[in-house]
Structure formats: structure tokens, C-alpha cells
Amino acid sequence: VTHNKSFTLGELAKLLDLELVGDEQCKIYGLGTLAGASPGHLSFLSNPAYIDQLSSTSASAVILTENFVETCPGNSLISASPYVSFAHASALFVTNEAPAAGVHSSAVVDPSCKIDDSVAIGPNAVLEAGVSIGAGSYVGAGCFVGAGSNIGSNCRLYQNVTIYHGINLADNVIIHAGSVIGADGFGFAFDGEKSVKIHQLGGVSIGRDVEIGAATTIDRGAIEDTIIEQGVKIDNQVQIGHNCKIGMHSVICGCTAIAGSVTIGKYCIMGGASGAVGHITIADKVQVSAMSLVSQSILESGTYSSGTGHMKTSEWKRTIVRFSQLDSIAKRLKELEKANDKT
Amino acid sequence: VTHNKSFTLGELAKLLDLELVGDEQCKIYGLGTLAGASPGHLSFLSNPAYIDQLSSTSASAVILTENFVETCPGNSLISASPYVSFAHASALFVTNEAPAAGVHSSAVVDPSCKIDDSVAIGPNAVLEAGVSIGAGSYVGAGCFVGAGSNIGSNCRLYQNVTIYHGINLADNVIIHAGSVIGADGFGFAFDGEKSVKIHQLGGVSIGRDVEIGAATTIDRGAIEDTIIEQGVKIDNQVQIGHNCKIGMHSVICGCTAIAGSVTIGKYCIMGGASGAVGHITIADKVQVSAMSLVSQSILESGTYSSGTGHMKTSEWKRTIVRFSQLDSIAKRLKELEKANDKT
Amino acid sequence: VTHNKSFTLGELAKLLDLELVGDEQCKIYGLGTLAGASPGHLSFLSNPAYIDQLSSTSASAVILTENFVETCPGNSLISASPYVSFAHASALFVTNEAPAAGVHSSAVVDPSCKIDDSVAIGPNAVLEAGVSIGAGSYVGAGCFVGAGSNIGSNCRLYQNVTIYHGINLADNVIIHAGSVIGADGFGFAFDGEKSVKIHQLGGVSIGRDVEIGAATTIDRGAIEDTIIEQGVKIDNQVQIGHNCKIGMHSVICGCTAIAGSVTIGKYCIMGGASGAVGHITIADKVQVSAMSLVSQSILESGTYSSGTGHMKTSEWKRTIVRFSQLDSIAKRLKELEKANDKT
């Protein structure tokens, strides 16, 4: 893609704090993958598996580690961490404009709200009594922020986000469209005939630098708060139950379902569509693979999985019949071993 | 958490219809867990596993069964079902105010709607022609209610909920933010080249005392209605396909996926992220564990599971190779057994 | 259900291009299943398993293949593909009115938008600068369309849909309520301490005749576009990651989670709550069964599954212990086989 911003390679080297091998005056208009880039694009090589694509790329410049400079047909920007440098570069080519400060005339803002002058409030947004919003933040069209909630500085709520009452967001929090923060946790006491609602009196506390995807839900706590610590990144369609605590810098991939009162450590990665049952603890630096269910606490860092690999359905049907016979298979094997020992 | 409501223990005992052992005049300002409570808090002991926390709690009073009164360091409220009593107590400490009756000036309400004077309609809500809403109900900011839909009394639609046309909600229904009731069921006839849409002409009927979480979707029926019976509780991010019937007082935990034309009995519990394939029946009082798939009808009450436990990924990789060999393992075992019988 | 439209069977035979065996003047007021239909209803027989219901149906007419005419108690409409003909018939009985053309006074539309006069824009919809919308399209209440996005002709966005900036929809695209198209893909580079955002500079391109369910999310590409080809049908609560390409006429059932950079072929079916890990390819005409995870590329068309069948939890608990012993079971079996060979 070619964007309507451009930089010389000299400027980029300075902005990204990288060493340039090549033409300082070369103009860069956008970013591209090694395979898809055109002249005027900046690309990157992070995974050595793509080295074949390096020699044939049309990119005008590539961010790479020093050892690949020779292979690069164009200009090189040398980085110890090309992928991280590329992430920084991506920020330079953002073109969708930040909304202008000010409250849109159609927004409904309670007079008791404390909103910094630099804040942008989009059309039809609704802010209830006592809401505070810090400098540089943006509340998109159709968002709702409930009574007494606090939103830090430089936050960005995309469209149609719902923040219930009494929720706290620190600075630099991004929430994508349609997400819901602070709906009631799923708590009921069964009285023998029906479910009696346990009113959810806690809140949600979201740390700085957290990003939350689209259509994700994070429930308020029953008594104490649900806590998302700083730096956590949460993808789309994730459900986080009441009274969970997600440790700092953990990453929760899309469609993950985390039941109530789960404590996840720091620097964990929950793979896509994974899950965790309620009232368990997951240690720091645990990685859970896609669609795996954590069915009891994990006390040691490491990589964990559940489930089975996929196979042709015809084969799979035979296999799951055998799966259901596993206990019998194991017992019969034991019998044979005993018999064999005697012979 | 300390709320801005307070009661004496004498008042609480009366309101909750419990026997008080202790100081009638003691003031209670909020609720707390046994471990987290401060003086002035009311707590509860339901699970005997927490008895150690009882003796050291700072709570001023604890709801518990009679046999634990001696162990309780503070005041006791005696209940045969402490968890249910605690649920009732939680309702007393709700502090977010009910919205005042009236239609917000920014709401767009068709003149043909029948809306009780006691109803509160939030900013930017949109009600199409022929909608009726019963006494005491609340429609949150940004909600949409389609033509001819009926909402009972004392219902609460949180923000940005979408109710399509021709949907019926009985009394006391709660729907959390971002949920969608009555979108088209997923029905197509494949004509050999493309999918031809089957227009979805049924509706959705939701019984009394149903609660529905955030970002949940319940599709309208193809010809007849999708039915959610009274007392059903549905968590966040649940998908219920067209023409399902969920029996009364069943509980559907978060992220559960129920395909079309599934009939679930009464008093069932579908665990988090569980699923059911289409056109099957699940008997009354069936419990399905987290992330289990019900792949055929279940005709007997009981607890059902699928999947595998989680393990270290290195171990799991070896295991799933063996899983794919299961049919061969079973056959080879059979061979050995035969051979052994002969010797 | 009885709708407020009616046709004679003669008219229906003409409209659906089917042969009528029976009374041309018979009035049809609505559609019904064989078992649920009343007099005045049109039904269909597609699956021969329902033949018993045919002989006892109260439907006034049934769409069926020629060989079942004799068995049909009422009038017959003969079709080579009764289900497809029924799909066409369903379109005739749609009664919810198309919204009238025009921009609602509460909608916020940037003056630079290019909107055909025949377009209907609902209350509180927000269209940013440079949006274009083709003839006959409808944008529902509370929708947001970001700067520079293009929406084709005869599209229908239901309520509270969010379309980010720079997204392209071809003609005849339907998107149900609460869905989000073009939120940022989930891309971060870990710098050893924290996740650095990779700004998502691509868009989303959606082909003609695509239908997308409620609360579904399709992310914008990192550099290039995420692509949904023509005729694809996507159910509710589906997540499609950045830079995926879904081939034409494929069907993605509810709650499916597709990670980033997945290429799915033409005419595939992803079953409900299924998943695919990132950076893989799935061939044309692959069917994946419900709640199965595609954990590596599938290069041949066919039906694929993962997971285990459900069973009573008591039995399942024994079975998964054995599952975790599978590697040991296989090795012990091998030992026995060796020992047996020697004897």
C-alpha cells in the first residue's frame, strides 16, 4: 500500500534510530511485505525463512539484521530487531486523521463531566454524570460511558463502545468498536427452583497501554474489581469473566473465553479461541495453544495444549470410537503384559 | 467495596428473613469476601473449603449455616442457603441509580409506539412503528427496537442493544450492552453454484425473568420462533441459532455456540465455550462441561464432556501422534490377544 | 406463520417457475414446515427422512420432487431442488418493509459523502468524509461508516454496525447488527519488555453478494487488505483475522475463529465454532466439522475433524487419563509385539 506520507531514507534512519546502508535521498512512500512491495516501499526481514524473498524484493529498502545486508538488492536499514523496528515504522505511515478536539453537537454530555479541552467526543456519544476524560483522548461516535467512570489521557474508544458505570481506564488505552466493559458478571445463586441474581457491585480497572479489540467483553467484579494490568493486549471477541486478573503484558488472542475469578500471570499468551475454567491460576510466562482449554491451574511457565490434531473425518470417526475405548485398551494391555511376564 | 448505602444488622436480618446472632445495632456499609472484607462489611460462608478464612475474617457479620456460628469471630446471620441469602443481600447494596422515567429528547420514537409513562428511554434510542414497552422498563442509550416488537414490564435493555422487528420479550428481562436479538438465522440453500438466502420469517420469544449478557446473539426463526423460556440465564458472547428452544431455568455460560434447531431441556447448564451441533435434543438437567461439543442428542440427564485435558505441549505433541494411531493400536492389541490365547 | 401477503398457487407456480399439480386458485398466506403448517401454508419436502410428515401435513401445497406427488395429500409444486425453490419462495413472503429512501434528520453525514438519492440512512447513523453509497442501499440506525469507505448498491447494514475508514463493500452485501468491519488486526512486535503496536495500514475488501451475521468482526489488513470474495456467507460471532482471504461462495458458521493470514479456498464450509491457526492455507471444497481446529494447511478437498465425541463425564475422566498415557501405551504395545515375535 502506498500512503500519502513520505520520508527520505535518511529521515527514516534518524526517526527509527537505525543505521542506513544505501541512498539517503531515496524516497519511501509506504510499507510492503518482501513479496508484495513495490519501488518506493519499505519492507522488513525478520523470519530467516523468507530470505528467498529478500533477494527478489522490489522494495526500495528493507529493515534487516546486519548479516543480511549483502543479500539485500536495495537499501538496508540495520536493526537488531527488525520486526520491532518495523512496528515503529508502521506508526509513521498512519494516515487516518486524529479527530479534532471538541464535543460534537449531537453528543449528550452530562454537565458534571470533567473533560479536558483537548478531548474529541464523536457524534451521538453519551457521557453520564461524573465521567472524567483526560487530555488527548477520543470517544467515538455512538459510545456510551456510564456514571462515574474515569478515562485517562490519550485513550481512544472507537465507535459504539459501551463502558458501564464506575469503570476506570488508565492512560493510552485503546478499545475497538462494539466492545463492552463492565457488564454484570455472570453470578447467580440457585435456590432450588430458579437462579437468584447476585448483583455485581465491583468494577473494572484497566491499566495503561492496554489495547482491547472489537466486540470483546470484560465483566465487572461481583464485589471487588476485575483487573487488566498495564500493557495487556486483548484481541477481538474475547470474554473475560468477573474478578479475573490478567497480569501485565499478557496477550489474549481472539475468541478466548476466560471464566470468572481466573488469575493469569505476566507475559502469558493465550492462543486464539483458547479457554480457562473458573477459579484457577496460571503462572507467569505460560503459553496456551489455540483452542486449548486450561482445565486446572498451571503453576509452571511453559507451553500447554489440549485437544487433538485434525484429520480426515472418515479416519477421525474410527479414531474417536477407539478414544472412547481407551480405558479398556489400557486395561487389556496391562493384562497382556502380566500374561507375558509369566511366560 | 463500600457502598453509599447502609443498614443495621437488625434491619438486614428482617429484610433477608434471617436469624441474627449478635449486635442488632452494628452498621453494615457494604459486602466483602471473607478474605477481603473490612469492618462494616457483610460476608458469607457457603463453601466449607473457606472455613479457615471465616475465623480470620474482618467482616462485621457473616451469613452462614447454623453449625458455623461458633467459629464466626463477629456477628452471624443464620441461613439454610447462605449463597442464596447473599444474593438477596447483594440487591440491597446496588447503588447505580435507576434512570428517571421519560423519553430523552434525542431518542427517535415513532408516534405509533405504546410506551408506559413510567418507562425510561435513553439518549439516541430508536423505536420503530408499533413498538410497545411495559411499565417500569428501561431502554438504554443507542438501543434500537424494530417495528412491532413488544417489551414487557420491568425490562432493562442496556446500551447499544439491537432488537429486530417482531420480537417479544416478557416481563423482567435484562439484556446487556451490544447484544442482538432477532438477526436472520443462518439459512441458505445451495443451488450448485451459490447460496440462496432463505428469508427468516419467524421471530424470537423470550420468557419472563430471562437475563442475557453482553454481545450475545439470538437469531430469529426461519418459519417458527426461536424460544427462550422463563428464567433462562445466558452469559456474554453466546450464539443461539434459529429455531432453538432453551428450556426454563437453564443456564448458558459465556461463548457457548448453539447451532440451529437445538432443543435444550429445563435446568440444564451449558459450560463456558461449549457447543451443540444442529437439530439435536438435550434432555432436562443435563450439564455440559466447558468447551465440550455435544455432537448428538443427549437423552438422559447427567454430566457430559468432550475434549482432552491440557498438558505440556511437548508431551501433547507425542500424545496426539499416538491419538492418530489409535485405530491401529486397538487392532494390534486385538492381534496380540488372539496370539496370546493360542499360546 | 401467516404473513400479510398472499398469492394463488397459480401465481406462485409462475413466480417460482415450477409445475403445479392441483388447484390454481388455492390461496397461500404463508410458509410452514410439514409438521407445523396450517391450511393456507406452503411447505416443502427436501429430505426424504420427512416423508412420513408429508402424508399427514395440513399444508395446502408442498414443493417436492416429482416422485412424491402421489404421496402429497394437497397440491404439489414440482421442483428438481425443493429446498432451493423454498428459498426463492421465502423471499416472496418477507413482510418487514424496506425503509424509505432519504437521510434521517438525526443522521450525521459529512457534506463530502456521495450518497445516491435512493439510499435510506437511519436515525443517528454517522458517515464520515468521503463515504460513497450506491443506489438502493440502507444504512441502519446507529451505524458508523468511517472516512473514505465505499458501500456498493443494494447493500443493507443493519443497526449499530461499525465500518472503519477505508473499507470497500461491493454490491448486495448484507451486514447484521453489531458487526465490526475493519478494526485493527492483532499485530504486535515484542521488544523484550512490552508489545509494540504494528499499525494496521491495510483495509478490508468485501465482494458482491456477501452476507455477514451479527456481532461478527473482520479485521483490516496489516499492509495489504483482508479479502472476502463474492458470495461468501458468514454467520454470527465469527472472527476473521487480518490478511485472511476467504474464497468465493465459502460458508463460515457461527463462532468460528480464523487467525491472521489464513487463505481459505472456494466452496469451503467451516463448521460452527471451528477454528484455523494463522498463516495456513485451506484448499477448495474443504469442510471442517463443528468445533474442529485446523492446525496446519489442508491441501486436499474433503471433510476434516478434530476433537473427541462427548461422553458421560465420569467415563470421560477415566478416558482422558488414558489419553495422557497414550505414548506409553503405544510403546508398551510395541514391546509386547517384539516379545511375541520372539516366542
Side-chain angles (χ1 to χ4, degrees), chain B residues 124 144 162 164-165 193 197-199 215 217 219 223 238-239 295-296 303-305 307 319 322 332 336, chain C residues 1 83 90-91 96 124 158-160 176-177 211 236-237 267 308 310-313 316 323 327 337 340:
Chain B
N124 302 322
F144 171 86
T162 301
Y164 278 55
H165 59 279
E193 288 191 355
K197 183 173 177 74
I198 298 170
H199 291 267
T217 50
D219 280 349
I223 295 178
V238 170
Q239 152 69 359
S295 45
Q296 49 186 312
T303 305
Y304 295 82
S305 301
T319 306
R322 299 311 191 181
R332 286 156 53 202
L336 275 184
Chain C
V1 279
Y83 198 44
S90 73
N96 58 313
N124 301 320
Y158 282 91
Q159 294 71 37
N160 292 321
H176 282 279
E211 181 159 350
N236 298 349
Q237 308 244 20
Y267 294 106
T308 73
H310 75 262
M311 53 187 97
K312 285 253 182 194
T313 299
W316 176 81
F323 177 77
D327 193 46
E337 286 173 331
N340 233 46

Side-chain angles (χ1 to χ4, degrees), chain C residues 211-234:
Chain C
E211 181 159 350
I212 295 171
T216 276
T217 51
I218 301 176
D219 279 351
R220 66 190 315 112
I223 296 177
E224 290 152 13
D225 284 2
T226 302
I227 296 170
I228 312 294
E229 291 189 345
Q230 66 175 88
V232 167
K233 307 298 180 186
I234 300 175

Side-chain angles (χ1 to χ4, degrees), chain C residues 233-314:
Chain C
K233 307 298 180 186
I234 300 175
D235 198 359
N236 298 349
Q237 308 244 20
V238 169
Q239 152 69 359
I240 296 182
H242 54 177
N243 298 109
C244 284
K245 181 179 164 191
I246 312 293
M248 57 176 74
H249 301 296
S250 284
V251 171
I252 315 286
C253 297
C255 300
T256 291
I258 300 179
S261 299
V262 172
T263 298
I264 295 183
K266 301 173 192 173
Y267 294 106
C268 290
I269 300 176
M270 297 291 294
S274 64
V277 303
H279 297 271
I280 63 168
T281 296
I282 296 177
D284 293 349
K285 299 192 181 174
V286 165
Q287 301 194 7
V288 174
S289 65
M291 219 185 262
S292 294
L293 176 67
V294 182
S295 46
Q296 50 186 313
S297 289
I298 293 177
L299 303 176
E300 248 182 275
S301 76
T303 305
Y304 295 82
S305 302
S306 75
T308 73
H310 75 262
M311 53 187 97
K312 285 253 182 194
T313 299
S314 50

Side-chain angles (χ1 to χ4, degrees), chain A residues 281-293:
Chain A
T281 296
I282 295 177
D284 294 349
K285 299 189 181 175
V286 165
Q287 300 194 6
V288 174
S289 65
M291 219 186 263
S292 294
L293 175 67

Side-chain angles (χ1 to χ4, degrees), chain C residues 9-20:
Chain C
L9 272 180
E11 288 169 330
L12 284 176
K14 213 170 229 175
L15 286 163
L16 300 172
D17 196 19
L18 301 176
E19 186 191 338
L20 168 64

